[in-house]
Amino acid sequence: MNLRKQIIITGIVQAVGFRPFVYNLAKKLNLKGFVSNYGSGVLIEAQGNKESMEIFLLLIKKNAPATAQIDKLKVKSLSLKKEISFTIKSSKKTSVQTSIPADIAVCKNCQKDISDKKNRRYQYPFTNCTDCGPRFTIIKKLPYDRAKTTMSHFKMCPACKSEFETPQDRRFHAQPNCCPVCGPKVSFIYKGKQAGGLKEAAQKIKQGKIIAIKSIGGFHLACSALNKKAVALLRKRKNRPHKPLALMFGDIKTIKQFCYLNQAEEALLKSPQAPAVMLKKRRHLPLISDGLETAAVMLPYTPLHKIIFDILGPSPLVMTSGNISGQPICVTNEEALKKLSPIADGFLLHNRDIHNRMDDSVLFELNGKTHFLRRARGYTPGYITLPSKINKPALALGGNLTNSFCLAKDDKLYLSQYIGDLDNSENIKYFKEALTQTSRLLNIKPQVFIRDAHPDYFAASYKPKAKKIQHHLAHALSVAAEHGIKEKHLAVTFDGTGLGMDNTIWGGEFFVIKNNTWQRAGSLKPVKIAGGEGASTDIWKCAVSYMLASETDIKTIKKTLKNIPSKDIDTAVKMYKNNINCYTYSGAGRLFDAAASILNICHKTTYSAQGAMELEAKAIKNTSKTYPFSLDIKNGFISTDSSPVIAGLIKDSKNPELAATKFHATLAAMIEAVCIQKNIKIITLSGGVFQNKKLLNMCFKRLLDKGFKVFTNNLIPTGDGGLAIGQLYAGYKSFV
Ligand code: ZN
Ligand code: ZN
Ligand code: FE
């Protein structure tokens, strides 16, 4: 018996190769009918026997293109029609497309095309198809048609046009479709002169030069990662002495020679999003990420990268953001030539414009789940769905460091790409540019605004009247938003500093959250830090302060901290004792800084969280031993006293690996102790400190062992890059 079904699918199903996928599936199952884009989704009418129909529905969900996201699939029975084939119907003019796909790494088939000498796209760096290629970064307006992208001025040649119009073709309706005849071209500028193309650029990299390469979302600065001189020069010119540099390898095999790689990490590297994945190093790579156990590693994700590696072989290249340190990544040829000239020897340019600026995404994998350090290319503009619709379109402005904002409409929260620190005019300009472009693209005109409570953040001057939400509460709520946690839970937020509700500075917080109420149930015991904001880079001042707070005598302090001049310590002690330039913090970040310095791992930082990251790298001993600590409970409020931990670190300071391991275990034990004391079944972990994989892992193990249900951020950064999601959620739940 034959059936006819109408199937409406919503989610990210347009411009991801969904219609050709449905078409081919229907053909295979001998179904009749059609598929077409419909509003923000896809409409299918299919007719055939019951069995085929069941398989059809099952496989639509199971085998959907990797970058598609099916939110809803509605099926309705229709009466039979006379039809002889299955077709792809062109979209109705009236349909409004709302979902925009993210950029997709070059697919296997396109890789084959560019490696095949007989293919007309042999070594063509802009090859793409419905399964891959640039998307968000080239879209200027919706609906997503070529005319509204930066490909509009390239006229398709007859061969490309035929592919574009043939439903069975891999390039059917692939908006950026092009070839060497009709598409964008590269050019190579060396020492201010035209100097050829890809081959010449690759040769210069081989010779140890630094080359700026235009990619999908912006420029990279590239050089051979095995050429110490080149890397040192890049660091010097970029004024970036220690901050780790991302690497790109030609293939998985070579990655395995340099790094440890598990199956889940390999799958992430090869995924259509192709993020940079933090991998444990197997071999030392000088100057890449000194002091750390890990390196950020990615695979070639555009045909252009692929061709460079075909020429040079699979050995790693440094692929760091093409920007002046602290500023946005360059996107136009002119901008790159102007700003990057002091850094790069040559420029590999092309004439496909980048409309939406986009950095690489960086994440690590733990127990099969992703943990974002930076969320941008491949993931933006993906969204998080709320359980119900919000009343009015809203904008949450995010934090001041590693900013991302969040736009929301109906039941969807769109987190922007990583913007950067809003402490300079260039990044603020980028913030405004991204906000204008994204709100236009998503057609969201916010009427409600939410920001951090800190009066000195950029957001406070930008939208002074916005609703305010406490920094760490926003971190906490970002987990509830992501996982749809409705039940009462205990939120552990271990973070850098943020303004608290009592005008002190918070950062190691325990909140009880129930419906739209919250209560600060505990914190790390506040400690006075001498040195003010300066202590965030001179982290030895945190060490001095923590040691003084735990009643360590000055002689011991001086003996413990190697290479800090005695008179500098005296000055810090004087400031501490006389309350000059002192602040009181309950921040977990400062405690990590103090520990890193007490163990003489790091006294001064040149990039954010350097102390904590180098401390984590030292925690390699196989022990679950902890230092003693105590919980002081007053009227139900728990404060954890770290004084005995500091004493333990001083005692073990000659054995930094053991001490660093015990320090991590102690913090996990401390969190566990508070959770047991509070006895709430669901725990969430959030805040920048949980970018520490070892601490996160230890917390999960301990809490799961004790029967807690534990959640953390998996789709958005747990640091300030995910803050805006929590702020928006606070607005949605009327926390503010
Ligand atoms: Zn492709
Ligand atoms: Zn063409
Ligand atoms: Fe934060």
Side-chain angles (χ1 to χ4, degrees):
M1 198 189 77
N2 273 1
L3 309 163
R4 187 178 183 86
K5 299 275 184 197
Q6 180 200 67
I7 305 157
I8 294 176
I9 304 169
T10 49
I12 302 174
V13 287
Q14 295 186 2
V16 290
F18 209 87
R19 286 175 305 162
F21 153 72
V22 170
Y23 172 87
N24 287 322
L25 188 59
K27 283 265 175 190
K28 241 183 242 167
L29 293 165
N30 200 24
L31 298 172
K32 315 291 177 209
F34 66 87
V35 55
S36 77
N37 279 345
Y38 175 79
S40 60
V42 162
L43 167 72
I44 305 166
E45 283 192 26
Q47 185 166 318
N49 68 48
K50 195 173 168 235
E51 210 184 356
S52 302
M53 193 66 80
E54 276 170 8
I55 298 171
F56 184 58
L57 286 168
L58 190 84
L59 293 185
I60 285 177
K61 283 188 243 177
K62 213 179 141 219
N63 293 354
T67 43
Q69 178 187 322
I70 298 177
D71 289 345
K72 270 187 206 138
L73 190 147
K74 272 196 275 183
V75 187
K76 201 169 99 180
S77 293
L78 299 173
S79 45
L80 295 174
K81 279 187 191 166
K82 274 197 181 133
E83 248 166 339
I84 49 162
S85 66
F86 196 94
T87 56
I88 298 181
K89 270 196 193 176
S90 60
S91 344
K92 283 180 196 149
K93 282 266 153 59
T94 51
S95 69
V96 188
Q97 185 196 327
T98 55
S99 75
I100 310 166
D103 303 288
I104 314 166
V106 56
C107 74
K108 272 200 182 127
N109 287 323
C110 286
Q111 289 193 32
K112 263 187 218 152
D113 289 350
I114 60 171
S115 329
D116 175 5
K117 279 191 181 152
K118 287 185 204 122
N119 194 290
R120 68 191 190 93
R121 290 188 174 84
Y122 177 60
Q123 294 209 330
Y124 181 57
F126 305 95
T127 303
N128 66 85
C129 71
T130 39
D131 289 332
C132 76
R135 296 286 187 272
F136 183 62
T137 50
I138 60 164
I139 301 176
K140 291 179 174 175
K141 266 191 202 161
L142 287 183
Y144 171 52
D145 294 328
R146 188 181 183 95
K148 301 202 171 69
T149 70
T150 59
M151 284 294 291
S152 61
H153 58 282
F154 297 99
K155 196 172 172 273
M156 268 187 249
C157 69
C160 287
K161 195 154 188 276
S162 156
E163 293 166 341
F164 188 84
E165 286 169 351
T166 308
Q168 296 87 327
D169 197 281
R170 240 174 71 224
R171 297 190 166 93
F172 175 65
H173 282 197
Q175 303 298 339
N177 187 30
C178 59
C179 74
V181 175
C182 65
K185 289 181 173 50
V186 298
S187 61
F188 180 54
I189 311 275
Y190 189 73
K191 294 198 169 159
K193 284 191 196 121
Q194 283 291 344
L198 266 163
K199 270 193 196 113
E200 290 73 16
Q203 282 315 315
K204 291 292 172 199
I205 291 174
K206 203 175 183 178
Q207 289 163 20
K209 302 294 176 194
I210 299 164
I211 306 299
I213 300 176
K214 190 174 180 181
S215 175
I216 276 198
F219 275 81
H220 282 127
L221 287 161
C223 71
S224 164
L226 305 181
N227 185 331
K228 203 174 156 188
K229 246 169 104 182
V231 182
L233 192 62
L234 173 60
R235 284 201 174 277
K236 196 174 152 226
R237 288 183 183 168
K238 219 186 165 192
N239 189 21
R240 184 170 162 152
H242 307 115
K243 195 176 173 184
L245 298 166
L247 299 176
M248 189 179 273
F249 285 76
D251 56 28
I252 290 285
K253 199 177 136 203
T254 315
I255 292 177
K256 283 182 177 167
Q257 288 166 13
F258 286 87
C259 302
Y260 296 93
L261 185 68
N262 67 30
Q263 270 181 355
E265 289 165 337
E266 184 172 336
L268 281 165
L269 286 169
K270 290 181 183 161
S271 71
Q273 291 80 10
V277 181
M278 300 301 296
L279 299 179
K280 192 174 166 188
K281 290 183 282 188
R282 193 189 281 274
R283 271 201 220 170
H284 176 63
L285 281 154
L287 300 179
I288 299 303
S289 55
D290 288 353
L292 304 181
E293 260 189 308
T294 54
V297 168
M298 53 191 159
L299 283 172
Y301 59 81
T302 69
L304 188 146
H305 297 142
K306 183 87 186 105
I307 297 164
I308 291 176
F309 280 97
D310 283 346
I311 300 169
L312 291 178
S315 292
L317 298 181
V318 168
M319 277 283 179
T320 188
S321 312
N323 60 350
I324 297 175
S325 286
Q327 289 195 11
I329 184 168
C330 293
V331 286
T332 66
N333 295 344
E334 298 70 36
E335 193 182 11
L337 287 166
K338 202 172 124 200
K339 290 190 171 173
L340 302 180
S341 291
I343 307 172
D345 300 304
F347 292 82
L348 185 58
L349 308 172
H350 61 70
N351 59 346
R352 186 179 69 200
D353 291 341
I354 298 165
H355 184 67
N356 294 302
R357 211 181 283 265
M358 189 74 62
D359 283 85
D360 289 321
S361 294
V362 186
L363 49 76
F364 66 81
E365 181 273 340
L366 178 63
N367 300 327
K369 293 204 166 128
T370 50
H371 299 266
F372 282 85
L373 304 177
R374 177 182 288 187
R375 184 181 171 281
R377 179 184 52 77
Y379 299 93
T380 310
Y383 51 79
I384 284 173
T385 309
L386 291 170
S388 60
K389 288 185 180 180
I390 55 168
N391 298 329
K392 288 176 182 169
L395 165 67
L397 294 148
N400 224 43
L401 299 177
T402 61
N403 176 274
S404 290
F405 56 83
C406 174
L407 279 161
K409 195 166 110 176
D410 300 332
D411 59 349
K412 293 189 171 55
L413 307 185
Y414 298 88
L415 185 65
S416 81
Q417 70 268 45
Y418 160 86
I419 306 281
D421 297 348
L422 299 182
D423 56 2
N424 64 68
S425 59
E426 289 295 315
N427 279 355
I428 287 171
K429 219 166 95 191
Y430 177 21
F431 172 91
K432 290 177 180 168
E433 162 199 299
L435 180 57
T436 307
Q437 290 178 182
T438 313
S439 41
R440 190 192 302 150
L441 272 175
L442 297 168
N443 194 23
I444 298 178
K445 296 183 187 85
Q447 294 172 34
V448 176
F449 301 89
I450 308 143
R451 67 169 172 91
D452 196 275
H454 204 299
D456 298 336
Y457 278 15
F458 159 73
S461 59
Y462 184 68
K463 288 282 173 204
K465 288 192 186 135
K467 294 178 180 181
K468 290 181 271 184
I469 173 90
Q470 199 279 325
H471 187 95
H472 304 105
L473 182 63
H475 273 305
L477 294 175
S478 74
V479 188
E482 196 189 312
H483 294 280
I485 302 168
K486 289 185 191 139
E487 300 88 342
K488 178 180 173 182
H489 61 278
L490 180 69
V492 184
T493 303
F494 271 30
D495 196 35
T497 55
L499 185 66
M501 298 299 277
D502 54 4
N503 277 326
T504 67
I505 298 164
W506 292 3
E509 310 303 313
F510 299 91
F511 300 109
V512 175
I513 294 169
K514 194 183 165 191
N515 299 321
N516 58 351
T517 65
W518 65 281
Q519 190 203 1
R520 191 181 183 217
S523 81
L524 295 181
K525 191 176 162 191
V527 168
K528 186 170 82 177
I529 310 272
E533 275 305 304
S536 64
T537 47
D538 280 333
I539 60 173
W540 62 269
K541 290 179 183 167
C542 297
V544 170
S545 304
Y546 266 92
M547 286 195 273
L548 288 170
S550 61
E551 289 168 6
T552 313
D553 61 83
I554 294 166
K555 210 177 123 194
T556 310
I557 294 176
K558 287 184 176 172
K559 222 175 99 191
T560 307
L561 300 180
K562 311 276 183 241
N563 301 322
I564 301 292
S566 166
K567 64 172 188 356
D568 288 359
I569 294 179
D570 288 334
T571 311
V573 171
K574 212 183 264 171
M575 285 168 88
Y576 183 91
K577 293 212 164 141
N578 296 316
N579 269 328
I580 301 165
N581 206 10
C582 287
Y583 293 88
T584 300
Y585 296 96
S586 59
R590 290 291 185 265
L591 180 57
F592 270 86
D593 286 343
S597 174
I598 290 170
L599 300 179
N600 293 295
I601 293 166
C602 178
H603 292 311
K604 288 183 189 192
T605 62
T606 64
Y607 64 91
S608 161
Q610 185 178 352
M613 285 163 75
E614 291 183 1
L615 184 72
E616 182 189 0
K618 278 277 185 298
I620 52 168
K621 291 282 173 191
N622 188 11
T623 176
S624 53
K625 276 192 192 149
T626 58
Y627 293 117
F629 59 87
S630 62
L631 303 186
D632 303 335
I633 307 172
K634 256 186 219 141
N635 302 326
F637 186 87
I638 306 173
S639 72
T640 64
D641 186 2
S642 316
S643 301
V645 183
I646 300 296
L649 289 172
I650 296 170
K651 219 177 121 211
D652 284 345
S653 66
K654 287 206 178 82
N655 193 347
E657 288 175 355
L658 177 72
T661 314
K662 279 172 79 178
F663 176 78
H664 280 75
T666 308
L667 280 197
M670 217 180 241
I671 288 170
E672 180 195 354
V674 175
C675 292
I676 290 170
Q677 184 65 35
K678 280 286 153 195
N679 195 23
I680 297 169
K681 226 182 143 209
I682 299 173
I683 310 291
T684 66
L685 307 174
S686 61
V689 169
F690 290 107
Q691 292 175 356
N692 182 321
K693 188 175 175 176
K694 283 177 188 159
L695 179 70
L696 187 65
N697 196 21
M698 287 179 189
C699 288
F700 259 90
K701 270 195 184 144
R702 280 177 177 267
L703 294 171
L704 292 175
D705 261 8
K706 288 286 180 323
F708 291 104
K709 264 176 119 173
V710 194
F711 298 92
T712 187
N713 297 110
N714 298 115
L715 303 174
I716 57 165
T718 201
D720 283 8
L723 199 66
I725 290 279
Q727 292 173 342
L728 211 295
Y729 189 75
Y732 158 76
K733 293 280 271 179
S734 309
F735 268 86
V736 281

